[in-house]
Amino acid sequence: MSLLHHARTGCPSDVLVIGPHTMVTPQNFTPAQSRAFGRVVGDILSDEETLATRIGRYLSSKPENIDRVVFSFIPALFSTLWSQDEMERFVRFFLLCDPSLHRELAKILLVHPSFFVFFSSIQSLATEILERENPSVDELLDLFLSHSYFIPSSLRSILRQVQDPISLFTQCFLNQILENPALYGLVKPKTRKVFPTEYNIEKVRDLVDQLKSKNSIQVIPENVSRDICDFSLYFFKSDIDIISEIGQLTIDLPTADSVYPIKINILSSDVSPTPQPSPPSIEKILRDLVIHLDLSFAKPTILETLDSALVLHAGPSKIEQELHLDEFKQMKRMLNAPDEVGYYINLLREAYEQRMKDRNETLKNSSSTEIFRVQMIQCSQEEAFLVKSIQTLLICEWIEEGDLEQVETDKELLCKDNAAFQQLYLNLVDSVVSFLAKKKYQMTHEQIAPYVFENVMNILTLDVYQSYHPEFVELDEKIRKYIEENSENLIALNSPGPLKIFQTDPSLLDLASEHLLEGFNAKTLMKMTDDIDHAISALINVLSFQGYCEIGADHILPMTLILCAKANPPHFCSIANYLEHFLLMMSEYSPVPQSLEYHSTVIRTASAYFLKELGKKGKKCLGRSLGFSCSHD
């Protein structure tokens, strides 16, 4: 997100790789460092007001680190706001912060999966509004109002507790969404337009009143009840630097660019502190050790067994296990627990059986499991969206460097000489690879190809191709006239076996016909292939619903011919050659999935069939003269 906000400034930061990180403690992270950082984090988490004060002080001295604080450090402190409990703690922190920070802190909520659910629910409609010549924010606000039940409870809670909710909503949330609609997922990632910032304040007032008065759909797990919070938080190297400065630590800082688990022990702010809190479970500490150490060789006592297993343990997690063993020894002394190994085996077994009982009861009486499952899906979708957004933005930056100007200059050559087109295409893909290397971002040639191809084909549209091939335009009209005169006969000739259902009930072709006509009226190749694929897939689905389970390649061509006879699309010959020239003759880095390429091949073959049928009526075999393989009888 930091990259997305600053890429347009001319000084973008390095691109973070979105994906899984190892949870193994770095080798140079000592137990003393872990405990020191844990004390600082535990201290600031136990009091949101202290945290707000220290964050404000830190950003006053280092405002250049605002994105790192907003998109990394604070989400890590609040466990990425995964539960309602963490979300409520963040809202309290937000309200305690200096109002000058509210606009930046609001971005944490705008990129949260709960907001992503809301934006996804209206993305297609919002994109439609934005793509109009004069997009109306008032229409967008009406859309927000009609889908307000998806707007997260976090925003509602904030609006209920501030003195001027309308001002906060417009400045911290609405204006940011209008200025960066593609950034937050309100519209599709490749959309470059933005909304105007003029709107009817009365519509804003209606929306805010609605949000304050009603609750939203629950999309994150409920609160987790606990008196003592004993858990680990995970921080990046830059977050550790922030912790050190906030806590004024004088210890040596770790140097590895990795993920650092910090164990935290704090009192929950939602309950009254108990005079003598129960100590951490010795069984839990032992369980952590059993999971990570090889205890195949038992010794007379539990400590001897664990010590010997730790000696044999290798790898970067050894320091972490040493910390766990120290905790276990301290807990054992405090509880005066016995030395016999059998005692601890029974302890683990009994605790496991109790956990299973509790877990089964929870699964029976709660919807938590379903919420977690949905939340994981939401997070996966948002991750894919963020990756797509980053890649789209970088490709747009590459375009601004001017490499696509050669496509404009050599239009005629590229439309007539396939070898020249393929060479230019490969050169452009290599150019993007070099550009991304400078940005320290990696994408494979196969990942880059669709972006390059789409932007090239936005220049080499069907209209441009037809302007250099008038002979195909002439054939388009002949094919269309032939289909119009012989539609019923063509459907009858190509309706063997299960395909007779289309002859009996032509309405089954309606949806596929709509998709096909959209594709043949499109001006760019990517739109054509998508709609053609949707059309043929719709026919396959119709046959599947009618009970025909095995739809093979032998059915695809006659089925497509029936569809073409029903829809009689324009530009048939031009599109067939357009697809062949720019897509089907591609030697490397195909920009579309195999299904789209295959269905494009079917359209080319269908064009050849119609040209051959024209030849049978006493005209020249135009299909053969144009190099088509007319193998369909």
Side-chain angles (χ1 to χ4, degrees):
M1 297 303 298
S2 174
L3 167 82
L4 295 177
H5 274 284
H6 286 285
R8 313 302 295 179
T9 65
C11 306
S13 58
D14 292 344
V15 185
L16 294 175
V17 177
I18 298 178
H21 292 268
T22 175
M23 290 303 169
V24 178
T25 305
Q27 289 184 342
N28 66 335
F29 195 48
T30 66
Q33 289 174 315
S34 177
R35 286 191 290 268
F37 290 122
R39 284 193 296 270
V40 173
V41 175
D43 181 36
I44 59 178
L45 282 180
S46 63
D47 183 358
E48 284 91 6
E49 188 171 359
T50 299
L51 175 60
T53 301
R54 295 195 183 186
I55 290 293
R57 188 183 304 141
Y58 174 80
L59 289 176
S60 295
S61 63
K62 294 194 173 181
E64 69 276 8
N65 288 346
I66 182 67
D67 284 329
R68 182 60 69 178
V69 170
V70 166
F71 296 118
S72 181
F73 178 62
I74 292 178
L77 281 179
F78 292 97
S79 303
T80 63
L81 284 66
W82 72 276
S83 70
Q84 193 64 28
D85 178 61
E86 298 290 351
M87 185 65 78
E88 289 171 0
R89 289 177 55 236
F90 172 78
V91 168
R92 291 196 297 269
F93 159 75
F94 179 94
L95 295 170
L96 289 167
C97 283
D98 189 290
S100 63
L101 296 177
H102 283 171
R103 179 179 168 88
E104 295 298 326
L105 294 175
K107 295 173 183 175
I108 298 175
L109 296 178
L110 290 175
V111 300
H112 189 266
S114 58
F115 255 97
F116 184 73
V117 171
F118 166 60
F119 290 140
S120 298
S121 70
I122 60 174
Q123 187 184 80
S124 59
L125 295 173
T127 303
E128 182 181 328
I129 293 173
L130 182 59
E131 288 178 348
R132 294 174 188 165
E133 185 176 349
N134 296 305
S136 169
V137 179
D138 290 345
E139 282 189 62
L140 184 67
L141 289 171
D142 289 338
L143 190 60
F144 281 15
L145 188 62
S146 65
H147 291 71
S148 61
Y149 47 85
F150 278 124
I151 297 179
S153 59
S154 54
L155 175 57
R156 299 168 188 267
S157 178
I158 290 173
L159 295 178
R160 289 168 186 154
Q161 299 180 63
V162 296
Q163 291 184 346
D164 189 353
I166 294 178
S167 176
L168 183 138
F169 176 74
T170 55
Q171 294 176 19
C172 299
F173 290 91
L174 180 59
N175 287 348
Q176 294 204 86
I177 295 169
L178 299 178
E179 293 163 6
N180 293 287
L183 182 68
Y184 297 113
L186 176 63
V187 297
K188 296 177 181 179
K190 64 181 181 180
T191 306
R192 300 286 286 170
K193 291 180 65 178
V194 299
F195 284 97
T197 53
E198 295 83 22
Y199 41 79
N200 185 343
I201 195 64
E202 289 304 317
K203 287 187 176 291
V204 175
R205 191 184 306 279
D206 292 342
L207 177 59
V208 170
D209 289 343
Q210 175 88 333
L211 296 179
K212 290 170 61 180
S213 62
K214 296 185 179 180
N215 293 323
S216 61
I217 294 175
Q218 180 72 22
V219 295
I220 58 177
E222 291 287 351
N223 299 350
V224 180
S225 177
R226 56 193 177 197
D227 291 342
I228 296 293
C229 301
D230 187 0
F231 54 94
S232 290
L233 296 177
Y234 296 88
F235 297 93
F236 291 114
K237 169 65 173 61
S238 59
D239 302 327
I240 293 294
D241 296 340
I242 295 172
I243 294 171
S244 175
E245 185 150 348
I246 287 178
Q248 298 179 339
L249 297 178
T250 57
I251 62 174
D252 293 333
L253 297 180
T255 57
D257 188 11
S258 183
V259 177
Y260 292 83
I262 305 295
K263 191 167 185 180
I264 313 298
N265 186 285
I266 62 172
L267 287 173
S268 173
S269 60
D270 296 329
V271 296
S272 301
T274 55
Q276 293 181 339
S278 58
S281 166
I282 190 173
E283 181 274 335
K284 181 180 182 302
I285 300 172
L286 179 60
R287 183 165 19 115
D288 289 338
L289 289 166
V290 169
I291 290 171
H292 294 94
L293 299 179
D294 182 5
L295 302 178
S296 305
F297 306 100
K299 302 293 181 182
T301 68
I302 186 65
L303 292 182
E304 289 176 326
T305 301
L306 294 173
D307 283 331
S308 64
L310 187 59
V311 169
L312 297 175
H313 185 72
S317 66
K318 187 167 185 176
I319 294 176
E320 186 176 357
Q321 304 317 313
E322 287 177 354
L323 285 171
H324 288 163
L325 184 53
D326 287 343
E327 287 183 88
F328 177 79
K329 291 177 179 179
Q330 293 174 14
M331 185 65 63
K332 182 178 178 300
R333 285 195 298 270
M334 184 173 67
L335 299 176
N336 195 25
D339 293 329
E340 292 80 9
V341 173
Y343 168 83
Y344 296 96
I345 293 176
N346 290 331
L347 181 67
L348 291 170
R349 181 184 297 114
E350 291 171 2
Y352 172 77
E353 291 173 353
Q354 185 59 46
R355 282 198 307 277
M356 290 302 102
K357 289 180 183 178
D358 295 341
R359 189 169 298 168
N360 290 333
E361 192 65 26
T362 300
L363 291 175
K364 280 190 255 182
N365 301 319
S366 172
S367 61
S368 296
T369 301
E370 184 66 18
I371 291 177
F372 278 122
R373 185 184 69 81
V374 172
Q375 190 179 38
M376 289 300 296
I377 294 173
Q378 292 169 0
C379 290
S380 298
Q381 291 173 339
E382 185 172 30
E383 179 180 318
F385 168 78
L386 288 173
V387 171
K388 178 81 172 176
S389 297
I390 288 174
Q391 292 176 352
T392 301
L393 183 139
L394 288 171
I395 294 297
C396 289
E397 281 195 46
W398 168 77
I399 291 172
E400 290 177 359
E401 293 204 343
D403 285 14
L404 284 181
E405 292 177 2
Q406 187 177 352
V407 180
E408 288 280 2
T409 304
D410 298 336
K411 282 181 181 179
E412 182 174 2
L413 175 64
L414 298 175
C415 288
K416 293 183 176 181
D417 188 342
N418 176 263
F421 170 76
Q422 291 202 48
Q423 186 59 55
L424 177 63
Y425 170 68
L426 297 178
N427 291 342
L428 291 174
V429 171
D430 290 338
S431 172
V432 175
V433 171
S434 301
F435 173 82
L436 295 180
K438 297 176 185 176
K439 298 289 184 179
K440 300 180 181 179
Y441 191 84
Q442 291 186 348
M443 288 173 64
T444 64
H445 287 72
E446 289 74 16
Q447 291 173 318
I448 293 170
Y451 291 102
V452 172
F453 188 79
E454 181 175 12
N455 282 284
V456 170
M457 298 316 298
N458 285 340
I459 299 172
L460 302 176
T461 63
L462 178 63
D463 290 341
V464 171
Y465 182 77
Q466 287 179 310
S467 68
Y468 298 114
H469 292 283
E471 70 277 16
F472 297 146
V473 177
E474 182 181 348
L475 291 173
D476 292 337
E477 292 303 317
K478 292 181 178 180
I479 290 178
R480 197 164 197 194
K481 184 177 180 182
Y482 170 76
I483 293 176
E484 183 179 350
E485 294 172 351
N486 299 275
S487 175
E488 292 184 5
N489 186 43
L490 287 169
I491 292 175
L493 285 174
N494 292 281
S495 300
L499 301 187
K500 285 188 179 297
I501 191 172
F502 294 123
Q503 187 177 9
T504 305
D505 186 2
S507 65
L508 295 175
L509 296 166
D510 288 349
L511 178 60
S513 296
E514 289 180 14
H515 286 305
L516 189 71
L517 289 172
E518 283 184 22
F520 275 66
N521 283 303
K523 300 303 179 184
T524 60
L525 191 144
M526 298 297 278
K527 170 68 173 168
M528 285 178 196
T529 56
D530 282 341
D531 288 328
I532 289 170
D533 183 63
H534 292 156
I536 297 178
S537 297
L539 291 182
I540 295 173
N541 290 336
V542 167
L543 291 177
S544 298
F545 290 142
Q546 296 295 325
Y548 300 101
C549 299
E550 297 184 2
I551 310 300
D554 291 344
H555 298 101
I556 298 296
L557 179 58
M559 186 168 64
T560 304
L561 292 172
I562 292 172
L563 175 61
C564 294
K566 169 73 164 58
N568 195 8
H571 318 301
F572 211 125
C573 186
S574 295
I575 286 178
N577 283 274
Y578 183 63
L579 293 173
E580 181 175 31
H581 182 82
F582 289 115
L583 178 64
L584 300 180
M585 295 176 69
M586 193 75 68
S587 59
E588 289 185 78
Y589 310 135
S590 176
V592 299
Q594 285 187 347
S595 64
L596 271 68
E597 194 170 336
Y598 174 69
H599 291 158
S600 297
T601 302
V602 173
I603 291 298
R604 187 202 67 172
T605 308
S607 177
Y609 169 83
F610 289 124
L611 289 170
K612 184 177 179 180
E613 291 300 307
L614 280 172
K616 287 182 178 179
K617 288 188 171 287
K619 299 176 181 177
K620 292 182 179 180
C621 186
L622 300 172
R624 188 175 298 113
S625 69
L626 289 169
F628 284 113
S629 175
C630 305
S631 58
H632 182 76
D633 292 324

